[in-house]
């Protein structure tokens, strides 16, 4: 049923209407009885205009509306939505982000606890569960920093970034913050606040991506969990050697299956075949993966070839290990 839920929660035209009708008919509560506690729940404060459940579904609609956004101030956020492969988890996080408001105490922590019960019940994978719970736990953090702190202060941005595990977490948190604030009341997310939110995203993104080159993977960084799931046809010692020297963030920002795949490509290198290339189709873009011995200006040349053939390069990462094997990844459309 987890796969069924993932399909339901993918942002698409009509998502809000579908989920809201399921909610009105009681179907959504059959799946997630945790939602009963916020039905018609009123939060009496100066800011919120809607009941908690109305706010929740409006936030989901705000993500759906981004799919067709044409205003320049919203298009930039649409690119984040188009660039994520975890948009279904974003919707799930929005569904649960305020469910803790029916309880005493800090509602973020209570919402996280309640959501965790549902995720365990439907046997979500560990990395999926981690993303959803992170978004719920920090769903007030980005707006607090963006609107109440000095974004020109490098220490402010650095302190925020230290709590963000990866670029993907940052992307999803920015989208959730956008949708959450906009659903508080009409006009709450004005152009000034959009600019501040985007400024924090860009500054944080720069720090996270620059961080790719700082800390390098050592033998102690390669966890037993990663080695335990190593396919039988892959050699452990050579796998560890392949990883050593890559930036530490490569482990934190790349799925286990992708890491194994990159290593498999490296095992196929030889004097006769010194380059391994794979192009994969994603929902919103293509991914080009190149594994080869390092050489001067390689990254720039690949970028140039893609641009020459009218490919729009969305992002690119270049890694090099202790054996001078490079792993270059490009997302393009």
């Amino acid at each position: 049923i987890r796969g069924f839920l993932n399909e339901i929660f993918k942002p698409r035209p009509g998502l809000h209407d579908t989920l809201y009708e399921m909610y009105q008919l009681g179907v959504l509560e059959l799946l997630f009885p945790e939602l009963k506690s916020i039905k018609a729940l009123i939060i009496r404060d100066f800011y919120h205009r809607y009941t908690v459940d109305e706010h929740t579904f409006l936030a989901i609609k705000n993500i759906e509306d981004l799919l067709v956004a044409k205003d320049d101030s919203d298009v930039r956020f649409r690119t984040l939505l188009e660039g994520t492969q975890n948009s279904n988890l974003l919707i799930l996080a929005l569904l649960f982000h305020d469910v803790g408001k029916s309880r005493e105490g800090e509602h973020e922590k209570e919402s996280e606890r309640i959501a965790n019960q549902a995720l365990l019940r439907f046997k979500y994978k560990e990395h999926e569960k981690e993303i959803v719970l992170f978004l719920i736990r920090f769903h007030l953090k980005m707006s607090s920093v963006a609107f109440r702190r000095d974004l020109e202060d490098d220490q402010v941005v650095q302190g925020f970034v230290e709590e963000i595990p990866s670029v993907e977490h940052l992307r999803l948190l920015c989208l959730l913050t956008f949708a959450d604030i906009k659903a508080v009341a009409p006009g709450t997310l004005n152009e000034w606040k959009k600019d501040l939110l985007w400024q924090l995203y860009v500054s944080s993104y720069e720090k996270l991506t620059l961080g790719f080159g700082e800390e390098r993977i050592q033998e102690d960084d390669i966890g037993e969990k990663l080695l335990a799931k190593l396919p039988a046809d892959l050699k452990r010692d050579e796998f560890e050697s392949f990883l050593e020297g890559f930036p530490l963030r490569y482990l934190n920002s790349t799925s286990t299956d992708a890491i194994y795949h990159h290593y498999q490509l490296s095992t196929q290198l030889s004097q006769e075949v010194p380059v391994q290339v794979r192009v994969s189709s994603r929902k919103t873009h293509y991914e080009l993966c190149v594994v080869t011995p390092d050489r001067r200006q390689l990254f720039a040349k690949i970028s140039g070839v893609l641009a020459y053939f009218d490919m729009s390069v969305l992002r690119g990462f270049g890694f090099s290990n202790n054996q001078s094997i490079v792993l270059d990844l490009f997302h393009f459309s």
Side-chain angles (χ1 to χ4, degrees), residues 120-167:
L120 289 172
R121 185 166 68 250
F122 289 107
K123 298 180 180 179
Y124 271 82
K125 294 180 180 178
E126 193 62 33
H127 77 275
E128 295 174 323
K129 187 157 66 95
E130 185 273 327
I131 288 175
V132 173
L133 297 181
F134 165 84
L135 292 175
I136 294 172
R137 183 166 64 253
F138 286 98
H139 78 266
L140 299 178
K141 182 70 175 181
M142 197 166 189
S143 60
S144 176
V145 174
F147 306 150
R148 299 179 184 177
R149 304 291 299 277
D150 180 7
L151 299 184
E152 299 300 325
D153 185 342
D154 188 69
Q155 293 303 311
V156 169
V157 179
Q158 182 60 45
F160 171 70
V161 167
E162 287 175 356
E163 298 186 89
I164 310 298
S166 73
V167 170

Side-chain angles (χ1 to χ4, degrees), residues 87-106:
S87 57
N88 58 304
L89 301 180
L90 170 63
I91 300 301
L92 187 56
L94 281 170
L95 192 65
F96 277 91
H97 79 287
D98 275 350
V99 74
K101 284 189 173 181
S102 61
R103 313 293 175 88
E104 294 292 331
E106 297 179 19

